[in-house]
Amino acid sequence: MPSAPDVSHLDPFAPGTRRLTDPDTTRAAMRAAGPLVQATAPAGGPVWIVTDDTLARQVTTDPRIAKDPAFAPPAWDRRTAGLEPTAAEQPSLTTLDGPEHAELRRAHAPLLSAKRVNERSERVHAIARELLGELARHGTVDLMADFTTRYPLTVLLDILGISLDHVDRAADACRLMFAPDPAAQGTAIAALAELAATALADGEGLAAELGERMPPGTTAQQLRYHLFGLVFAGQLTTDAALGFLVADALGPDPAQGEALVRRTLRDHPPAPYTLWRYTTADIEVAGVPIPARSPILVDIQGVNTRPGSPPGADLAFGAGPHFCVGAQLAQLELRAVADVLAADFPSARLAVPYGELRQSTLGGILGNRLTALPVVLAG
Ligand code: HEM
């Protein structure tokens, strides 16, 4: 039986820091090894990684491959592997598949459709203008210190109908999600879920609307967890993307508007890998046998940055039934910052040479984030 090339020596989940201009040699080597490679998972044992666009689209639509952590390798320590609760413990978009997942998507998707999101365009631009305007008065500012966290959270809380007085609490909770103590995560989830509950109590915004659209039998606790999921998934990713977007806009080869957003998401996808997926039975993928309860990932960054790949649909927002439900909102948020930067801060510049900007990754499947982004917005 054929097996996938083993790339464990490349250590594709290693944490680290490198310059923004340094080439990503690990991803190039994984791609060169084949469309499906095998590595060692951070939580131990083998993981299969897809490096090819066509195969990625097959794997993300394969009904034999599921998101539910109930199918995670039995040897993984659930606590330290950073897994979500199982679908039975906590049903969610990111752990359900099949008809139950489709039902939840039907509840969420219309609220975040292109039409609904574009109705918020002026408001999102106004939030970007206000936050950047405040910073512009301070000379050199590090946008990664607060802006990239605060702006997506402000947009999300605003759209969900949660009072903006809670942005600081929400920001603290998001930072706690990555504290080394796994217990801190529980505290952070509870804090975000509690904030979401305030919008439900007020009956305002998208949170309340989502509540009305939930499948029958959904408990209040489950609804709060769905809202936590939206805030967390929407903050973390957009936060990282904003750093790359502004660096790119002010860098040596600037683009603007939609082209800038597309290029940033293609070259620096904030989710460099898909979330974990697991085989539900012994299966073959691209002719390679993979045992039941094995983890599979798509290397989104590797696929997106393959030299010579035609421009067009990249995998920044995933593919298949789990395609990012917030993709329209995320692109509006990025577009608003690109627009406001170009229109209101035409003299904005990096306060350090582009070549000195550094990105770090916490390791595992987490994405890269600029370590700092010192800029002068005006003057
Ligand atoms: C630039 C920003 C963003 C990027 C690059 C991004 C990327 C992704 C990707 C790659 C997936 C699929 C993961 C997989 O298949 O394993 C995903 C799913 C998801 N995203 Fe996003 N996302 C972004 C912003 C947002 C925002 C703003 C929201 C919320 C409003 C959001 C909510 C979600 C949710 C709830 C899912 C799970 C969907 C499902 O499993 O059915 N994301 N995202």
Side-chain angles (χ1 to χ4, degrees):
M1 276 287 203
S3 61
D6 194 325
V7 299
S8 294
H9 59 284
L10 297 172
D11 205 358
F13 305 110
T17 304
R18 63 188 170 92
R19 282 180 200 274
L20 187 51
T21 47
D22 285 346
D24 187 341
T25 49
T26 304
R27 291 208 140 78
M30 281 213 288
R31 272 195 312 257
L36 184 68
V37 298
Q38 194 181 316
T40 302
V47 49
W48 280 262
I49 304 176
V50 175
T51 71
D52 169 78
D53 185 83
T54 309
L55 190 56
R57 291 175 197 278
Q58 281 167 27
V59 160
T60 48
T61 49
D62 189 327
R64 304 166 307 169
I65 300 174
K67 303 276 302 259
D68 188 350
F71 293 103
W76 281 12
D77 177 341
R78 292 250 317 262
R79 226 171 60 96
T80 52
L83 301 184
E84 265 193 87
T86 63
E89 290 162 346
Q90 189 69 77
S92 78
L93 280 176
T94 44
T95 56
L96 287 168
D97 282 288
E100 284 174 297
H101 175 255
E103 193 180 24
L104 263 190
R105 285 289 294 214
R106 279 196 297 276
H108 283 77
L111 305 182
L112 292 163
S113 67
K115 185 171 174 291
R116 282 296 296 271
V117 163
N118 287 331
E119 288 166 8
R120 313 281 305 183
S121 178
E122 258 181 51
R123 175 80 182 134
V124 174
H125 278 74
I127 293 173
R129 199 170 293 120
E130 187 186 323
L131 293 181
L132 288 173
E134 271 167 32
L135 291 173
R137 290 188 267 119
H138 296 288
T140 303
V141 283
D142 175 7
L143 293 186
M144 301 310 290
D146 187 65
F147 171 75
T148 58
T149 307
R150 183 170 299 275
Y151 165 67
L153 274 178
T154 307
V155 172
L156 280 164
L157 265 52
D158 191 54
I159 201 168
L160 286 170
I162 302 171
S163 160
L164 296 186
D165 295 343
H166 295 313
V167 172
D168 284 329
R169 276 177 69 199
D172 289 344
C174 286
R175 291 188 190 107
L176 253 194
M177 287 296 287
F178 298 105
D181 173 13
Q185 250 188 41
T187 313
I189 294 176
L192 290 175
E194 201 186 302
L195 288 185
T198 61
L200 295 172
D202 294 348
E204 293 282 324
L206 208 128
E209 220 181 313
L210 185 64
E212 283 159 20
R213 300 179 55 87
M214 275 291 126
T218 304
T219 65
Q221 187 276 343
Q222 286 168 354
L223 174 58
R224 284 201 296 273
Y225 190 81
H226 294 315
L227 291 168
F228 149 75
L230 286 178
V231 175
F232 184 60
Q235 192 281 325
L236 163 82
T237 43
T238 314
D239 177 331
L242 282 162
F244 295 114
L245 178 102
V246 175
D248 204 355
L250 305 180
D253 176 23
Q256 283 201 344
E258 200 47 39
L260 174 65
V261 173
R262 285 264 44 93
R263 189 169 76 181
T264 302
L265 290 171
R266 186 197 62 203
D267 293 348
H268 303 283
Y273 294 105
T274 52
L275 301 174
W276 295 104
R277 283 170 168 70
Y278 313 98
T279 52
T280 56
D282 293 351
I283 63 170
E284 269 186 29
V285 172
V288 171
I290 305 184
R293 300 193 64 176
S294 298
I296 301 191
L297 293 172
V298 172
D299 178 11
I300 292 180
Q301 186 147 14
V303 172
N304 279 9
T305 54
R306 178 184 292 275
S309 61
D314 58 48
L315 289 178
F317 291 107
H322 290 278
F323 182 85
C324 178
V325 80
Q328 297 296 336
L329 180 61
Q331 288 171 97
L332 170 61
E333 288 178 51
L334 296 176
R335 182 65 199 267
V337 168
D339 291 348
V340 168
L341 205 58
D344 295 23
F345 304 101
S347 60
R349 59 185 189 279
L350 293 173
V352 296
Y354 184 78
E356 281 178 22
L357 293 175
R358 301 175 74 79
Q359 54 183 328
S360 71
T361 172
L362 293 172
I365 61 170
L366 294 173
N368 297 329
R369 188 176 187 275
L370 290 181
T371 54
L373 180 58
V375 301
V376 179
L377 288 166

